[in-house]
Amino acid sequence: MRKKPIVIIGCIVAFIILVTVVAPYIILSVDMQEEPAETYAYSDVFFNEYEEVRQHLFATAEQLTTQGHKVDFYSHVIDQEDNLYIDTMYIPGTKEAKNLIVLTTGVHGIEGYIGSVMLDVFWQELYPDLDKETTGVLVIANVNPYGMKYHRRYNENNVDLNRNFILDWGSFDLTVNKDYPKVSKFLGPKSAMGNAFWHEAGFYGSMITTLIGNGVDAITNALLGGQYEYPEGVYYGGMQDQKSTVFVKDVFEKTLRSEYENIVHIDIHSGYGQRYRMVIFNSAFDTMTEQETKELFQYDNVIAIDSEDFYPTTGDTTDFYYRLWDKMTKEEEQRAKLEGEEPEKKTLFSTCFEFGTIGDSFWDSVISMKYTIEENQNHWHPSRNKVTDQIIKERYQELFYPTETRWREKTVADFIEACEGVFAVKLLEGSESTVSE
C-alpha cells in the first residue's frame, strides 16, 4: 500500500520533467514564422539587416540620379563607431516649391524594415505619377538606426523615439503617466526568463493579479501613452532629446521655414491594428473625423480623433510636427503684423501609416503586450536558456515584421491605395495636376 503514493509522486515528477524539457520546443515550433515564398511583390527588398537597407537606399539614390533627378543625399552620424546613421534623400520640385512630401521610417527601429520596403514602393509606384515640377520629396530613413541594427523598437538608451518628440522639455511633466508606477513591476520584471513553459504560466498569473489589483485601464494607459520615469521600462520616452530626435526636429523646422507652401508628412510604422490591413492613424492635432477622412481619402481603415480606437500619445512625431507648425505660424503672424505685411501661410498634414500584424482584439492586445514586455526583459536580463531566447526573438519579429507572404503582399497594396488617396486630396494642384489620372 505504501508503494502507491511513491508511484504516483514518481509519475508526477516524471511528467513535470517531460513537460519542462519538451514543452519549450513545442512553443518554439508554434511561434516560428513561416518562410515567405521565393517570389512575391517586392520580395527582393524585404531585407533583414540594417546594412542591407542602407546599401539599397544608396543604390536607389544613384538610380534616381541616373534617371535625371537632382538627388541630395546625406548621412547623419548617430554613432560612427557602431556605424549608425540616419539617411536622408531630398529631390526638390523642378520649377516651383509648392508641395513637399516628407516620409519618415524607422522611428521605432525594427519597424524600419517595412518602412524601407514602402520607400521602394513609393519610388516605383507613386513617384512617377507626381507632378515633379511642383512637388519635392524628402525621405528621412532609419531614424532609429540602433533599433534597426539590433532589431529593437527602442534606441541605444532604451528610449522610444515616438515618445521623445517633446516640444518643450522645460515645461514638460515627466510624471505625466500616472498609471505606469502602479503596474511597473508587471511591465518591467527584474529577472531573467528561464524555462519558456513555466514562464508562460508565471506571466499570465502575474497579469491576472495585476488586472485584479489595478484594472484593465491602468495597464492600457500605462502602456500606450509613454512614460518618463523608468529608464529600463517599456515605452520609455527619455528625459531629454535623443540624438535622433534633435536631428529630425531640426529637419522638420527647416521644412516649415522652406519655400514649400504645403507639406504632407507620412510616418511609417507597424505593429498596431488588424492583420492584413494598414490603418491611417491621424494625429490628435488633426481636426478631421474618422468618416471625413475615409471619404476624403477613399480609404476605409482610419483612426481619427473621434474614433473609438483612438488613443492619445505623448511625444509623437506627428503631434510634434503639428505643434511646431502651430508655434511657427503664430510667430510668423506676429512678425508680419509688426512689419505691416501679410504673413506667409503654410499648410501641413502629418499622419501615421500603421501596418497591423497581430490583430486588434482584446486577446491580440494581450499577446502584443506580452511580447513587448518579454523582449524588454530579455534585453536587460538576458535568458541563459537558448530556446527561450529564440522564442522571444521570433515573437518580437512577428510583432513588427512578419515573414508571411500574404501579409507582405498586402502591405504593398494598402500603402499604394492609401498614398494615392492622401496625395489626391492633400497635394496642391500645379499647372496641370498633382497626381496623374
Side-chain angles (χ1 to χ4, degrees):
M1 294 294 292
R2 293 180 179 178
K3 290 183 178 180
K4 190 173 181 180
I6 295 175
V7 171
I8 293 173
I9 293 171
C11 289
I12 292 172
V13 171
F15 176 75
I16 291 173
I17 293 173
L18 182 65
V19 167
T20 301
V21 173
V22 175
Y25 289 95
I26 295 175
I27 294 171
L28 179 60
S29 66
V30 171
D31 286 340
M32 286 286 287
Q33 294 202 77
E34 66 176 61
E35 289 296 318
E38 289 187 10
T39 58
Y40 52 94
Y42 288 85
S43 57
D44 58 332
V45 294
F46 275 85
F47 300 117
N48 295 307
E49 299 298 331
Y50 167 65
E51 284 302 327
E52 290 180 310
V53 170
R54 291 199 74 211
Q55 290 302 319
H56 183 67
L57 196 62
F58 298 155
T60 300
E62 290 179 0
Q63 182 181 26
L64 288 167
T65 301
T66 59
Q67 292 172 355
H69 301 290
K70 181 183 178 182
V71 181
D72 184 4
F73 194 98
Y74 171 69
S75 295
H76 179 75
V77 179
I78 296 299
D79 186 334
Q80 192 166 12
E81 186 175 339
D82 202 16
N83 198 35
L84 302 179
Y85 298 87
I86 298 175
D87 296 310
T88 63
M89 277 173 55
Y90 170 57
I91 300 179
T94 57
K95 289 187 177 180
E96 184 181 3
K98 186 176 287 288
N99 300 297
L100 178 65
I101 298 172
V102 181
L103 302 172
T104 49
T105 70
V107 173
H108 288 145
I110 191 172
E111 299 172 29
Y113 290 100
I114 191 62
S116 171
V117 177
M118 294 309 118
L119 291 183
D120 222 63
V121 175
F122 172 82
W123 294 118
Q124 298 295 326
E125 308 285 345
L126 298 159
Y127 185 65
D129 291 334
L130 295 175
D131 179 356
K132 298 169 192 62
E133 291 187 354
T134 63
T135 305
V137 177
L138 171 64
V139 170
I140 312 173
N142 319 326
V143 173
N144 176 4
Y146 173 91
M148 282 198 69
K149 184 172 183 177
Y150 297 103
H151 294 253
R152 297 203 75 213
R153 176 186 175 101
Y154 311 108
N155 80 343
E156 58 274 13
N157 298 317
N158 199 51
V159 172
D160 181 332
L161 294 183
N162 214 35
R163 304 294 182 271
N164 189 242
F165 280 78
I166 303 299
L167 187 66
D168 179 14
W169 285 98
S171 61
F172 180 70
D173 179 11
L174 296 174
T175 66
V176 63
N177 193 326
K178 305 301 181 184
D179 286 304
Y180 197 95
K182 301 175 187 176
V183 295
S184 61
K185 289 184 179 180
F186 168 64
L187 297 179
K190 300 296 184 183
S191 59
M193 283 173 281
N195 182 277
F197 176 76
W198 298 113
H199 164 72
E200 297 290 290
F203 175 86
Y204 289 111
S206 178
M207 184 184 77
I208 291 170
T209 301
T210 305
L211 284 172
I212 292 172
N214 300 277
V216 175
D217 288 344
I219 295 179
T220 302
N221 296 336
L223 281 171
L224 297 179
Q227 57 88 13
Y228 300 83
E229 299 179 88
Y230 297 81
E232 293 187 8
V234 294
Y235 300 101
Y236 174 58
M239 297 181 182
Q240 60 185 7
D241 282 346
Q242 299 297 292
K243 289 181 180 179
S244 294
T245 311
V246 171
F247 175 73
V248 176
K249 279 185 172 183
D250 181 62
V251 174
F252 281 178
E253 182 172 341
K254 286 178 179 176
T255 64
L256 292 170
R257 294 194 187 283
S258 71
E259 294 182 355
Y260 287 99
E261 300 174 29
N262 178 52
I263 299 169
V264 176
H265 169 233
I266 299 172
D267 193 22
I268 303 172
H269 287 262
S270 62
Y272 177 83
Q274 305 171 40
R275 192 175 175 93
Y276 313 117
R277 198 67 174 119
M278 192 204 83
V279 62
I280 297 177
F281 200 122
N282 282 348
S283 166
F285 292 86
D286 192 288
T287 59
M288 286 193 299
T289 66
E290 179 181 323
Q291 190 58 37
E292 287 172 343
T293 308
K294 288 179 178 180
E295 291 176 359
L296 277 173
F297 298 156
Q298 294 295 293
Y299 190 82
D300 64 4
N301 199 25
V302 169
I303 294 179
I305 188 68
D306 67 325
S307 302
E308 184 179 345
D309 294 331
F310 182 86
Y311 61 88
T313 58
T314 306
D316 177 273
T317 54
T318 58
D319 289 356
F320 171 81
Y321 217 159
Y322 272 117
R323 295 185 71 186
L324 181 63
W325 170 67
D326 182 63
K327 175 177 177 287
M328 293 177 65
T329 299
K330 289 177 180 176
E331 290 174 349
E332 168 61 15
E333 288 174 350
Q334 186 176 18
R335 179 205 65 79
K337 184 177 181 180
L338 289 172
E339 298 182 9
E341 300 176 353
E342 284 295 319
E344 294 183 2
K345 294 183 178 180
K346 292 185 185 297
T347 56
L348 172 70
F349 176 66
S350 181
T351 194
C352 169
F353 281 10
E354 182 97 38
F355 296 96
T357 55
I358 301 297
D360 58 358
S361 70
F362 173 76
W363 182 247
D364 292 327
S365 299
V366 170
I367 294 298
S368 178
M369 173 184 68
K370 183 175 183 291
Y371 292 176
T372 299
I373 294 171
E374 288 174 341
E375 188 278 338
N376 192 59
Q377 181 180 359
N378 199 48
H379 173 76
W380 293 107
H381 310 282
S383 176
R384 295 180 181 179
N385 188 307
K386 292 183 179 179
V387 178
T388 299
D389 182 72
Q390 190 174 353
I391 289 170
I392 293 164
K393 289 175 180 175
E394 285 289 334
R395 288 172 170 176
Y396 204 64
Q397 179 85 358
E398 177 75 9
L399 185 57
F400 297 111
Y401 191 45
T403 59
E404 184 194 17
T405 303
R406 179 188 169 193
W407 182 85
R408 292 187 166 188
E409 289 191 321
K410 193 60 167 59
T411 61
V412 173
D414 284 355
F415 182 76
I416 293 171
E417 180 185 350
C419 279
E420 288 178 340
V422 170
F423 294 161
V425 174
K426 288 296 181 178
L427 296 185
L428 302 177
E429 291 187 356
S431 54
E432 294 294 333
S433 174
T434 309
V435 180
S436 299
E437 296 296 329

